[in-house]
Amino acid sequence: KQWYQRRVAITAGDLDKVINFVSTKVVHLGDQLKQMDGKRRRALEAKELIDYINEAQKTGSVSSSIFTDVTNIHESARVLHKITLVTQDLPDKGGKDFSRLQGVVTRITDEIEKQLVQDFKMSLHHYTDEEHLENMKRCAATLNQPCFQAYKEVVDYFIDARLKAPFYGENIFSAIKDCINETSGIVSKVFSDHDTIMPKFIKKIFKDKIWKKVRLTLKLDTFDEPEKQSSQDLEQSLDSLAELYSQTMELSSNLSKYDNDISFANDIKKSIFCSYLSKYSDTEKEYLLKASEEILNQFYNSIKHEKNLHSDALQVHLKNAKSRFNQLRDNIGSSNNLLSNEPSEMPSDQLLSVNVTTSLLKIHERVNYMSTNCHIYKRDAYIF
């Protein structure tokens, strides 16, 4: 019995060795077959490529279904790319004339390119469908090969189509943010260069949407000739400018994740608000003088005072108001109600400075919106 058990153990061990040996041989044979299959496939592709080139050179056309069947457009583009690489190495002068072959390649390239662009545009109209998104991705990837020139065309078409999308809601800034986030998701699925396309799209949507809104809302005449405007018109324009500017800067800051360029916000500011920012301080100063003068006149009318003002009277009251403004700005958290309008709490001349100071505080708030930290005090000093 022991002899039988030893014999079985030896036989089992030999069997394991045989199995391992056969397995090794099978794996090795598989690797060899794989290499041979790869070589055979490459040889077959080279032969087909030579056949296409010979046919094009001899007849001036290619009859293979790869180039005539539109359903094979991506495969035909792949083959065409290889043919193009070959034709680029052919001599321009001397020896055999390859102009017929090059003419065929150019013609087929144009046909395939036009078809790919058309397929991309048709699928873009149904971008909510995953199947169409996948087709857009394939078309874009194929057009991004060196033998084609229309990749930029489909990118620009995509951007323009997204800009034409309706912007719902009263707040255009919120609508723009939603559109950009949605577009980013589409770009990630369709294009391979998301980080290049998104900054381009964002800058264009800012120019197309926000720039137009700013131009429609703010009249340049108001800032070109503020002395000819009423204080009410100046105040309305300045308030609108501050609101649009702060919302634009906030939006650009939120979208900076799509553009690593630190000059992104500065570029937007310059392109959209440059004409207004260059004249903002002068316009704000003009408003301060006009609003203060109107408050002064209203004050004298309210107390039925027949004023006989010398030329410096307005400046005197402005000086008093500015002093009160500085007090308010430095002690804005005080429990004392410095803006009280109750006549019984302060003399009438103090009421005048309070009204002017209220106007100054509004101006200072606008200056905060319109200025960086390093420019706030410089603008304050100029305006006040």
Side-chain angles (χ1 to χ4, degrees):
K1 182 177 180 180
Q2 292 179 352
W3 175 87
Y4 179 75
Q5 289 176 344
R6 287 197 301 270
R7 187 63 181 170
V8 170
I10 293 172
T11 303
D14 293 340
L15 183 60
D16 286 339
K17 292 178 181 180
V18 171
I19 292 175
N20 291 334
F21 177 77
V22 173
S23 298
T24 303
K25 289 294 185 181
V26 169
V27 171
H28 179 66
L29 181 60
D31 291 339
Q32 286 183 323
L33 289 174
K34 186 176 181 181
Q35 292 176 4
M36 291 176 64
D37 183 62
K39 292 178 180 179
R40 184 184 64 82
R41 187 171 58 252
R42 287 193 294 271
L44 181 61
E45 290 180 353
K47 181 180 180 302
E48 290 178 347
L49 200 63
I50 292 172
D51 291 341
Y52 297 144
I53 293 175
N54 286 336
E55 183 181 2
Q57 177 64 13
K58 291 178 180 179
T59 65
S61 64
V62 181
S63 59
S64 173
S65 61
I66 289 181
F67 297 101
T68 57
D69 188 352
V70 294
T71 60
N72 293 328
I73 189 167
H74 295 286
E75 176 64 17
S76 62
R78 184 185 67 81
V79 174
L80 181 64
H81 173 59
K82 295 182 178 180
I83 295 176
T84 302
L85 294 177
V86 174
T87 59
Q88 288 175 350
D89 294 331
L90 296 176
D92 294 332
K93 298 179 181 179
K96 195 172 182 179
D97 182 13
F98 294 100
S99 59
R100 176 178 287 183
L101 169 61
Q102 292 169 340
V104 173
V105 171
T106 300
R107 176 175 57 80
I108 295 177
T109 300
D110 291 342
E111 291 174 355
I112 293 176
E113 191 171 59
K114 289 179 181 178
Q115 185 62 46
L116 287 169
V117 171
Q118 183 178 349
D119 288 352
F120 180 92
K121 292 180 178 180
M122 290 181 62
S123 292
L124 180 57
H125 295 297
H126 309 280
Y127 69 89
T128 54
D129 189 319
E130 289 295 330
E131 183 178 346
H132 285 282
L133 274 180
E134 183 61 29
N135 187 51
M136 289 169 59
K137 179 180 179 179
R138 292 184 67 193
C139 290
T142 302
L143 287 169
N144 203 19
Q145 296 183 47
C147 58
F148 298 112
Q149 305 296 323
Y151 180 72
K152 182 179 181 298
E153 178 183 344
V154 296
V155 171
D156 291 341
Y157 182 86
F158 171 80
I159 290 176
D160 291 339
R162 293 299 300 160
L163 290 175
K164 293 177 182 177
F167 286 75
Y168 299 105
E170 297 181 358
N171 189 337
I172 189 174
F173 294 92
S174 177
I176 288 174
K177 183 179 180 180
D178 292 340
C179 177
I180 290 175
N181 290 332
E182 182 185 34
T183 301
S184 176
I186 299 174
V187 171
S188 297
K189 295 179 180 179
V190 174
F191 299 101
S192 60
D193 49 350
H194 175 278
D195 293 342
T196 301
I197 294 175
M198 282 309 299
K200 183 177 180 180
F201 173 71
I202 291 173
K203 290 175 183 177
K204 200 160 186 178
I205 199 175
F206 268 62
K207 183 176 180 180
D208 185 76
K209 300 298 181 181
I210 298 181
W211 186 88
K212 287 182 179 179
K213 179 174 179 60
V214 170
R215 288 298 185 272
L216 289 173
T217 305
L218 302 173
K219 296 179 180 179
L220 273 174
D221 293 346
T222 302
F223 297 85
D224 286 334
E225 299 177 315
E227 67 279 357
K228 296 182 179 181
Q229 313 299 322
S230 67
S231 64
Q232 290 80 7
D233 289 341
L234 288 175
E235 182 177 23
Q236 182 179 0
S237 296
L238 289 166
D239 283 342
S240 297
L241 174 61
E243 181 180 5
L244 290 171
Y245 182 83
S246 61
Q247 287 182 315
T248 301
M249 290 299 100
E250 180 181 1
L251 179 60
S252 66
S253 177
N254 292 335
L255 298 175
S256 60
K257 61 183 178 181
Y258 297 117
D259 193 337
N260 294 325
D261 186 358
I262 59 174
S263 64
F264 179 59
N266 289 331
D267 290 343
I268 293 174
K269 180 172 67 176
K270 290 178 181 178
S271 63
I272 298 178
F273 294 99
C274 180
S275 300
Y276 302 98
L277 292 176
S278 62
K279 301 162 186 174
Y280 166 70
S281 296
D282 290 333
T283 305
E284 195 74 85
K285 188 171 186 176
E286 183 67 26
Y287 166 74
L288 171 61
L289 292 173
K290 287 192 173 186
S292 299
E293 184 176 9
E294 289 179 3
I295 293 172
L296 182 63
N297 290 333
Q298 291 173 3
F299 169 72
Y300 279 115
N301 291 334
S302 67
I303 63 174
K304 298 180 180 180
H305 175 71
E306 294 183 5
K307 51 188 180 295
N308 183 19
L309 295 176
H310 54 80
S311 59
D312 294 331
L314 176 60
Q315 297 299 327
V316 170
H317 284 284
L318 273 177
K319 183 177 180 181
N320 293 336
K322 289 174 185 176
S323 175
R324 188 168 185 79
F325 162 71
N326 290 330
Q327 181 185 5
L328 274 169
R329 187 172 57 184
D330 295 337
N331 302 281
I332 196 67
S334 172
S335 59
N336 295 326
N337 185 6
L338 298 175
L339 292 177
S340 174
N341 288 322
E342 294 297 331
S344 59
E345 294 183 7
M346 58 182 67
S348 60
D349 62 333
Q350 287 296 304
L351 284 174
L352 172 61
S353 66
V354 166
N355 291 335
V356 177
T357 301
T358 303
S359 178
L360 292 174
L361 283 174
K362 285 194 64 177
I363 295 173
H364 181 67
E365 184 178 15
R366 281 197 297 264
V367 171
N368 280 334
Y369 283 137
M370 299 297 300
S371 309
T372 58
N373 291 334
C374 60
H375 290 151
I376 289 178
Y377 294 105
K378 185 184 295 185
R379 274 193 173 143
D380 271 351
Y382 177 79
I383 294 171
F384 300 123

